[in-house]
């Protein structure tokens, strides 16, 4: 219960800035009236990563509880495909669109298409830039980067310059820029003081683990085993990097960060090959987004306490809190919250009993 209260308070504190009410009227209002149930269109970048399957299921379940129907499309990380997915949802006369953009800038076109049809748009987890977006709901992404970098700094020996590799996310994803910005807040002063040296860094196309593995291999080719940590932006890229490390017998010897609390990452953390991850309570984001989308579909106002500049407008926004997960607090975070079962997390340990 204490942990749940912390998450709720954390999310409120983060967004206790100013108040906004939004609603958008348009031609599809008639459609709402005509249809028994509100119809939500959910356009996703991909269902490749474990988390997106969770987001989809939690969102659809909550929307149905609220009496809405949901049409789901996944674009497999293809911008052209995602635009045509949105066109298809518009032609189905959905009452509201919820979009997880593959490319935050490219999807401005989709928002404009939706508005031409009188349909409001909620950007889910990732910001859509350069357009008159209606609502943005996500986690505190800069905080994610700060916590990853601070963990790394706190857990590396202090006696000499620490050499690190940085694996960023996909350049098309505004979140990847926010994680880096949060990390830079912590690292830049230390890099200037010569306490930290970045021996290799790169962006991971489409967040693909196999692309992150190539970046880690390039770092090993360049620096051999002569570095202390890999600042990986999420668990997918961490997994790819750890594969490269294990091929060189370095897994568990080099500190690796992560994000998303994927099951495989939690297993790596209790096994000792990954040092930490960031838990983002998907159920909170998905449920709150389904509630907001259902209200928007009924042209009811959604109240937010924050706003974010997307280079065109100040978008009414909701940011939720995040939590660092390590071997020490695994049981008190992702297991206690029912995100993973203890048996699954500790499955690969020789003597599961000893570790808990
Ligand atoms: C980010 C998301 C992360 C991560 C990544 C790859 O936008 O916030 O949780 O999973 O995409 O899909």
């Amino acid at each position: 219960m204490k942990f749940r209260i912390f998450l709720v308070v954390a999310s409120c504190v983060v967004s206790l800035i100013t108040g906004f009410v939004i609603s958008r009227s348009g031609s599809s209002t008639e459609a709402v009236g005509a249809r028994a149930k509100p119809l939500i269109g959910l356009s996703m970048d991909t269902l490749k990563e474990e988390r997106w399957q969770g987001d989809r299921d939690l969102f659809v379940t909550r929307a149905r509880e609220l009496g809405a129907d949901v049409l789901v499309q996944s674009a497999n990380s293809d911008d052209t495909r995602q635009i045509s997915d949105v066109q298809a949802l518009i032609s189905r006369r959905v009452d509201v669109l919820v979009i997880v953009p593959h490319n935050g800038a490219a999807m401005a076109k989709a928002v404009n298409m939706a508005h031409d049809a009188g349909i409001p748009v909620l950007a889910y987890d990732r910001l859509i830039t350069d357009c008159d977006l209606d609502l943005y709901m996500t986690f505190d992404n800069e905080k994610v980067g700060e916590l990853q970098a601070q963990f790394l700094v706190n857990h590396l020996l202090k006696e000499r310059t620490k050499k690190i590799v940085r694996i960023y996310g996909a350049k098309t994803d505004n979140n990847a820029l926010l994680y880096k910005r949060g990390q830079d807040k912590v690292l830049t002063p230390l890099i200037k003081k010569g306490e930290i040296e970045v021996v290799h860094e790169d962006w991971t196309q489409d967040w693909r683990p196999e692309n992150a593995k190539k970046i880690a291999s390039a770092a090993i080719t360049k620096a051999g085993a002569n570095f202390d940590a890999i600042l990986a932006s999420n668990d997918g890229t961490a997994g790819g990097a750890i594969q490269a490390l294990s091929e060189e017998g370095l897994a568990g010897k080099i500190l690796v960060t992560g994000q998303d609390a994927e099951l495989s990452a939690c297993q790596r953390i209790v096994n000792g090959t990954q040092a930490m991850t960031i838990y983002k309570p998907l159920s909170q984001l998905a449920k709150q987004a389904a509630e907001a989308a259902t209200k928007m579909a009924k042209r009811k106002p959604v109240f937010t306490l924050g706003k974010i500049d997307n280079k065109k407008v100040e978008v009414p926004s909701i940011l939720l809190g995040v939590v660092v997960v390590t071997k020490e607090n695994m049981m008190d975070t992702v297991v206690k919250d029912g995100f993973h079962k203890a048996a699954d997390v500790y499955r690969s340990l020789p003597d599961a009993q000893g570790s808990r």
Side-chain angles (χ1 to χ4, degrees):
M1 191 56 192
K2 209 156 76 268
F3 172 60
R4 222 169 248 303
I5 293 169
F6 162 79
L7 278 178
V8 172
V9 171
S11 60
C12 294
V13 170
V14 163
S15 52
L16 245 177
I17 303 170
T18 53
F20 285 88
V21 175
I22 57 164
S23 68
R24 174 180 293 274
S25 59
S27 61
S28 70
T29 308
E30 299 73 49
V32 173
R35 199 179 283 123
K37 292 180 172 185
L39 184 58
I40 301 171
L42 175 57
S43 164
M44 305 191 73
D45 161 22
T46 176
L47 287 167
K48 270 219 166 50
E49 274 97 12
E50 183 180 301
R51 73 149 289 183
W52 300 120
Q53 296 147 30
D55 291 279
R56 174 203 55 200
D57 299 345
L58 290 160
F59 181 94
V60 170
T61 304
R62 182 65 183 138
R64 289 200 178 127
E65 283 168 2
L66 296 166
D69 281 330
V70 186
L71 299 175
V72 182
Q73 299 265 8
S74 175
N76 203 18
S77 299
D78 180 311
D79 296 334
T80 314
R81 165 82 180 274
Q82 194 162 25
I83 291 286
S84 64
D85 285 350
V86 167
Q87 264 158 350
L89 291 168
I90 290 172
S91 63
R92 295 288 302 276
R93 301 184 65 77
V94 295
D95 301 303
V96 60
L97 265 170
V98 176
I99 301 179
V100 184
H102 169 249
N103 182 321
M107 291 310 282
K109 180 180 173 194
V111 174
N112 298 336
M113 285 160 36
H115 287 173
D116 292 347
I119 299 170
V121 180
L122 187 168
Y124 185 96
D125 194 77
R126 298 172 176 174
L127 187 62
I128 301 173
T129 58
D130 312 292
C131 62
D132 185 8
L133 183 60
D134 301 281
L135 180 62
Y136 175 42
M137 297 181 71
T138 186
F139 295 97
D140 189 341
N141 297 303
E142 264 192 53
K143 190 73 178 172
V144 168
E146 281 176 44
L147 292 170
Q148 290 172 323
Q150 196 57 57
F151 179 92
L152 179 149
V153 169
N154 296 348
H155 289 78
L156 286 182
L157 302 175
K158 305 263 181 291
E159 91 279 359
R160 59 170 175 71
T161 298
K162 278 105 25 205
K163 296 183 179 197
I164 71 170
V165 172
R166 299 184 69 178
I167 301 183
Y168 307 120
K171 262 192 182 153
T172 52
D173 178 359
N174 186 68
N175 282 350
L177 309 178
L178 296 173
Y179 304 143
K180 182 179 185 302
R181 192 189 297 167
Q183 293 167 0
D184 288 345
K185 263 191 208 161
V186 174
L187 295 179
T188 305
L190 300 172
I191 292 169
K192 284 202 178 106
K193 280 193 280 178
E195 290 179 23
I196 287 205
E197 180 193 340
V198 179
V199 295
H200 188 67
E201 59 188 327
D202 205 346
W203 298 83
T204 312
Q205 195 186 344
D206 293 338
W207 287 99
R208 295 270 160 81
E210 59 270 27
N211 295 336
K213 183 181 179 192
K214 289 185 192 131
I215 298 170
S217 300
I220 295 167
T221 307
K222 195 195 255 181
N226 187 18
F227 58 93
D228 307 286
I230 297 182
L231 184 54
S233 292
N234 78 337
D235 291 336
T237 54
I242 290 165
Q243 267 180 24
L245 291 175
S246 48
E247 284 170 11
E248 304 294 328
L250 295 171
K253 297 187 181 113
I254 305 260
L255 183 152
V256 180
T257 63
Q259 171 191 183
D260 290 331
E262 289 182 355
L263 179 57
S264 55
C266 293
Q267 290 168 339
R268 289 193 296 263
I269 289 170
V270 297
N271 282 333
T273 55
Q274 184 170 328
M276 60 83 77
T277 187
I278 301 280
Y279 172 49
K280 307 197 291 189
L282 300 183
S283 60
Q284 284 207 10
L285 180 63
K287 287 181 182 164
Q288 289 187 34
E291 288 152 13
T294 305
K295 280 185 185 157
M296 292 163 82
K298 296 176 180 173
R299 301 297 177 265
K300 292 212 169 80
V302 174
F303 198 75
T304 75
L305 296 174
K307 55 183 179 180
I308 285 193
D309 178 357
N310 77 343
K311 292 187 269 183
K312 175 95 185 292
V313 294
E314 294 283 321
V315 183
S317 301
I318 295 174
L319 299 186
L320 302 182
V322 299
V323 176
V324 170
V325 173
T326 63
K327 194 172 184 167
E328 288 69 34
N329 71 351
M330 187 68 70
M331 291 297 289
D332 297 331
T333 52
V334 293
V335 172
K336 193 173 196 173
D337 209 38
F339 195 65
H340 294 309
K341 294 194 186 69
D344 295 335
V345 172
Y346 294 94
R347 169 170 301 125
S348 53
L349 281 189
D351 162 22
Q353 293 318 311
S355 63
R356 274 180 283 157

